[in-house]
Amino acid sequence: MVHAHDARHGSPLLLRPFAIALLLPLIVVLTVAILLGLLGIFVAWLTVVAVLITAVVASDLARRTMRHWARPPAALKRQAAGFPGR
């Protein structure tokens, strides 16, 4: 049995255009906050990746430089004159 009162109000979860208009600023603020948070996380992730890549490149360059400095000059690599095996 349906009462006139129930038919007039409808479903309690039905959002009318006025209710959506009232909630719209809140929805926009939440959306902007979420997107800015995601952008911040992405920028922080890019910073971490850039630091890691920079560390790898700097380590490689330092290793190559140390190897270059540790190698004796070409003049010291020459064989001594004389008989082999002596």
Side-chain angles (χ1 to χ4, degrees):
M1 178 174 193
V2 176
H3 296 286
H5 179 71
D6 292 338
R8 193 170 17 130
H9 289 289
S11 173
L13 295 179
L14 178 66
L15 290 177
R16 296 188 176 148
F18 184 69
I20 293 175
L22 287 177
L23 290 176
L24 194 59
L26 178 66
I27 293 170
V28 169
V29 168
L30 286 176
T31 303
V32 168
I34 290 170
L35 288 176
L36 285 176
L38 289 174
L39 179 65
I41 290 170
F42 179 70
V43 169
W45 176 79
L46 281 180
T47 304
V48 169
V49 170
V51 166
L52 289 175
I53 290 174
T54 303
V56 167
V57 170
S59 172
D60 186 50
L61 288 175
R63 185 178 297 126
R64 287 183 184 195
T65 303
M66 290 299 187
R67 265 194 213 149
H68 179 71
W69 286 347
R71 162 176 16 165
L76 296 178
K77 289 184 182 178
R78 292 186 188 152
Q79 295 284 335
F83 297 107
R86 281 187 141 194

